[in-house]
Amino acid sequence: KHNTLNRFRNSMELEMERLWAKKLQIFARVPFNRNGATLGILRITLKAFYEYVREETFSGSGLQQLQVDCACLLDGARELVDAEDAGVLASLLDEAIASASQRCPEPALLDVAHVEAICDEFKKRSQKLD
């Protein structure tokens, strides 16, 4: 299935991943192949996204929309990079959601099953367009 953001992780694991994401070498060298180039571009893009989120204030519905967008983005990114590299991207997206939660007056994240259902529906609609 999806293994969307924050699923099966306790608070200690989430905190460790947040710390790791903050120390991640975004502009580190990458292998000269398709996966390396894709991963490098996505790392830079998601780090910039995370920095942008840190400067904004979110409503409850805006936070939930961000949660769904990040889950769908991660789902699509998993098809472009190796499985172990997808963990790096998940950490960056988790950090963006955590940052947005801190910048929301009344944060209320959606249930993971609901987020997965929305991502599945989005994927089905996207495939119909192809």
Side-chain angles (χ1 to χ4, degrees):
K1 195 72 179 161
H2 292 284
N3 193 14
T4 54
L5 305 169
N6 295 332
R7 189 173 188 175
F8 307 124
R9 298 182 196 149
N10 63 38
S11 61
M12 176 70 86
E13 290 172 322
L14 289 173
E15 184 60 28
M16 292 302 292
E17 286 188 8
R18 283 188 199 117
L19 291 172
W20 186 75
K22 288 179 182 177
K23 290 188 168 227
L24 182 64
Q25 294 288 326
I26 298 299
F27 299 104
R29 290 182 180 259
V30 293
F32 188 67
N33 58 34
R34 178 184 171 266
N35 182 68
T38 303
L39 178 63
I41 291 167
L42 287 172
R43 278 194 322 214
I44 293 167
T45 303
L46 295 181
K47 180 65 174 180
F49 175 66
Y50 160 68
E51 293 296 333
Y52 175 76
V53 166
R54 289 182 52 202
E55 297 176 359
E56 298 298 317
T57 302
F58 291 85
S59 66
S61 59
L63 173 62
Q64 291 174 349
Q65 183 65 55
L66 180 75
Q67 181 187 11
V68 170
D69 292 345
C70 287
C72 290
L73 179 60
L74 180 61
D75 201 28
R78 287 183 192 281
E79 297 174 12
L80 301 173
V81 298
D82 293 338
E84 61 271 6
D85 294 331
V88 171
L89 304 178
S91 294
L92 289 167
L93 290 169
D94 281 339
E95 186 60 31
I97 293 170
S99 184
S101 294
Q102 293 172 352
R103 286 152 184 79
C104 179
E106 295 181 26
L109 293 173
L110 295 171
D111 180 53
V112 173
H114 188 66
V115 173
E116 286 181 353
I118 293 170
C119 288
D120 284 340
E121 183 63 29
F122 174 74
K123 192 180 268 188
K124 286 178 189 174
R125 288 183 184 176
S126 297
Q127 289 173 349
K128 287 181 182 179
L129 295 175
D130 289 341

